[in-house]
Amino acid sequence: MSWWDADDEDDEPEFDESDVRVRPSRRGSRPRTKQRPEHADAVQGRVLGVDRGRYAVLLEEGGPDEREVTAARARELKRKSVVTGDLVDVVGDTTGDEGTLARIVRIGERRSLLRRSADDTDAVERIIVANADQMLVVVAAANPEPRTRLVDRYLVAAYDAGITPLLCITKTDLADPEPFLQSFAGLELPVFRSAAEDMPLDEIRAALVGHRTVFVGHSGVGKSTLVNALVPSAERATGRVNDVTGRGRHTSSSTVSLRLEASDGDGWVIDTPGVRSFGLGHVDPANILRSFTDLAEIAERCPRGCTHLPDAPDCALNEAAADGELDETGLARLDSLQRLLETFSTAPGGADRGGH
């Protein structure tokens, strides 16, 4: 027998490709795999705005090749939300040419996250913006009337997110803002006063340079008017206040980042839609006291686990109020604090949210 007749397993394989059976995926013809591409060629950018599933992303910010691209969210992100202010990694066509579409494949670490809920009993949070470091609360001295409680809620949300709050009161030509501002006299809160013919644009602009500042405010307070004055190219829609209800009309429908240019540097203005309520269902009640810095020092004398509610035993805040240690402003601030704390204590599941 010659060597040609010898059995050779390499020449006669027991199986070939026709014997392989691959169960097709329900979502496509390719088999599923847990391996994901590394996207080593991804470019980092920042989300400037979101519009119907498309994201405006700024690449190479501040560099010679700075450009804005339109991107979609990659399927591998699943249900992870991408919001204005997010740092993201982008692949695909990143030229920014008209008609091109890139893809967001990763979301970077968020240094801050401003959130709100529909109401205080709603644990589902609505993310407003990521990575802002300042919040400018805009409120009108009149038309519509200023709401102390709403401003308190903005401050709580800011301190909970680690964001520095600022306050701008508009329409000071219509009413004296001082009675309203007395409610915040005990706070380390920069305040800007603005009138129709006397807007302190230089003063505000100086405070915004080098920062990413989110603008928040009740509808009709003049927030979009202020944004347009600071960023002339913004062209944010403005509205009027209803003479009967005293309510403003929602004009800004989306959150968007706008570059602020000044002689001494740039900054970013993040305009948000006007809201009439600001739920704090996502906030840990233990953090609420931070926004009332004037009362926080007194609360250090409270016993461990104190709730700071009106019926809390040995509460230093209640004792300070009874002993006359708090003036009229301090009493108003204490009332505001306790109203917020009571909201959490009576909400469903409030007992499980922790003490103070």
Side-chain angles (χ1 to χ4, degrees), residues 268-314:
W268 287 92
V269 168
I270 307 169
D271 191 21
T272 64
V275 297
R276 298 192 180 106
S277 63
F278 203 93
L280 300 173
H282 61 282
V283 174
D284 182 353
N287 296 332
I288 294 180
L289 189 60
R290 293 182 188 176
S291 62
F292 297 81
T293 53
D294 52 332
L295 301 178
E297 295 182 6
I298 300 175
E300 292 179 358
R301 308 198 301 258
C302 289
R304 185 179 182 85
C306 181
T307 63
H308 309 305
L309 294 175
D311 59 351
D314 301 322

Side-chain angles (χ1 to χ4, degrees), residues 58-67 212 259 266 268:
L58 186 67
L59 304 182
E60 307 288 345
E61 181 178 345
D65 296 327
E66 179 182 285
R67 60 199 181 278
R212 298 182 182 274
R259 176 177 269 126
D266 293 349
W268 287 92

Side-chain angles (χ1 to χ4, degrees), residues 169-206:
I169 183 162
T170 64
K171 307 182 184 181
T172 56
D173 50 319
L174 301 181
D176 182 5
E178 292 307 320
F180 171 78
L181 293 175
Q182 281 300 313
S183 297
F184 309 98
L187 300 180
E188 297 176 359
L189 181 65
V191 177
F192 305 99
R193 296 165 177 81
S194 177
E197 302 299 329
D198 186 19
M199 301 177 70
L201 297 180
D202 291 339
E203 186 180 353
I204 296 175
R205 191 177 288 111

Side-chain angles (χ1 to χ4, degrees), residues 32-43:
R32 295 180 179 179
T33 175
K34 293 184 178 180
Q35 294 181 345
R36 295 289 183 265
E38 295 182 0
H39 299 299
D41 59 339
V43 182

Side-chain angles (χ1 to χ4, degrees), residues 54 68-71 92-102:
R54 292 293 181 262
E68 185 177 321
V69 304
T70 300
D93 193 330
T94 59
T95 62
D97 295 340
E98 184 177 356
T100 60
L101 185 66

Side-chain angles (χ1 to χ4, degrees), residues 45-347:
R46 189 182 299 272
V47 177
L48 300 182
V50 184
D51 183 17
R52 291 170 291 184
R54 292 293 181 262
Y55 302 84
V57 182
L58 186 67
L59 304 182
E60 307 288 345
E61 181 178 345
D65 296 327
E66 179 182 285
R67 60 199 181 278
E68 185 177 321
V69 304
T70 300
R73 186 176 59 177
R75 287 184 61 184
E76 57 254 43
L77 291 180
K78 297 181 180 179
R79 296 189 177 184
K80 292 182 179 179
S81 61
V82 180
V83 300
T84 300
D86 266 330
L87 288 172
V88 294
D89 286 346
V90 180
V91 299
D93 193 330
T94 59
T95 62
D97 295 340
E98 184 177 356
T100 60
L101 185 66
R103 193 167 80 256
I104 298 174
V105 294
R106 276 189 297 266
I107 304 173
E109 181 181 358
R110 291 164 169 168
R111 296 182 179 181
S112 69
L113 198 62
L114 181 63
R115 305 163 292 169
R116 76 179 182 97
S117 58
D119 55 53
D120 291 331
T121 63
D122 187 359
V124 179
E125 64 186 36
R126 277 75 167 170
I127 300 175
I128 299 175
V129 66
N131 298 315
D133 63 334
Q134 287 190 155
M135 173 198 283
L136 181 66
V137 180
V138 183
V139 61
N143 193 31
E145 293 297 317
R147 296 167 54 188
T148 304
R149 306 297 184 212
L150 181 59
V151 175
D152 283 341
R153 288 171 174 271
Y154 285 137
L155 295 177
V156 169
Y159 279 93
D160 181 69
I163 297 174
T164 301
L166 315 169
L167 177 64
C168 178
I169 183 162
T170 64
K171 307 182 184 181
T172 56
D173 50 319
L174 301 181
D176 182 5
E178 292 307 320
F180 171 78
L181 293 175
Q182 281 300 313
S183 297
F184 309 98
L187 300 180
E188 297 176 359
L189 181 65
V191 177
F192 305 99
R193 296 165 177 81
S194 177
E197 302 299 329
D198 186 19
M199 301 177 70
L201 297 180
D202 291 339
E203 186 180 353
I204 296 175
R205 191 177 288 111
L208 305 185
V209 169
H211 297 280
R212 298 182 182 274
T213 307
V214 54
F215 282 43
V216 297
H218 189 287
S219 303
V221 297
K223 178 170 57 65
S224 294
T225 299
L226 179 61
V227 170
N228 288 338
L230 291 168
V231 186
S233 61
E235 298 181 349
R236 298 293 275 176
T238 59
R240 61 182 295 274
V241 176
N242 188 296
D243 294 331
V244 177
T245 65
R247 291 184 174 183
R249 178 184 177 187
H250 294 294
T251 52
S252 299
S253 59
S254 62
T255 300
V256 61
S257 294
L258 305 163
R259 176 177 269 126
L260 172 85
E261 297 180 343
S263 58
D264 54 345
D266 293 349
W268 287 92
V269 168
I270 307 169
D271 191 21
T272 64
V275 297
R276 298 192 180 106
S277 63
F278 203 93
L280 300 173
H282 61 282
V283 174
D284 182 353
N287 296 332
I288 294 180
L289 189 60
R290 293 182 188 176
S291 62
F292 297 81
T293 53
D294 52 332
L295 301 178
E297 295 182 6
I298 300 175
E300 292 179 358
R301 308 198 301 258
C302 289
R304 185 179 182 85
C306 181
T307 63
H308 309 305
L309 294 175
D311 59 351
D314 301 322
C315 175
L317 292 174
N318 294 328
E319 292 177 353
D323 296 340
E325 184 178 344
L326 299 180
D327 58 13
E328 184 177 350
T329 298
L331 292 174
R333 301 296 295 152
L334 178 59
D335 175 67
S336 183
L337 169 65
Q338 291 181 332
R339 284 175 66 92
L340 285 175
L341 296 178
E342 284 177 332
T343 298
F344 284 96
S345 66
T346 57

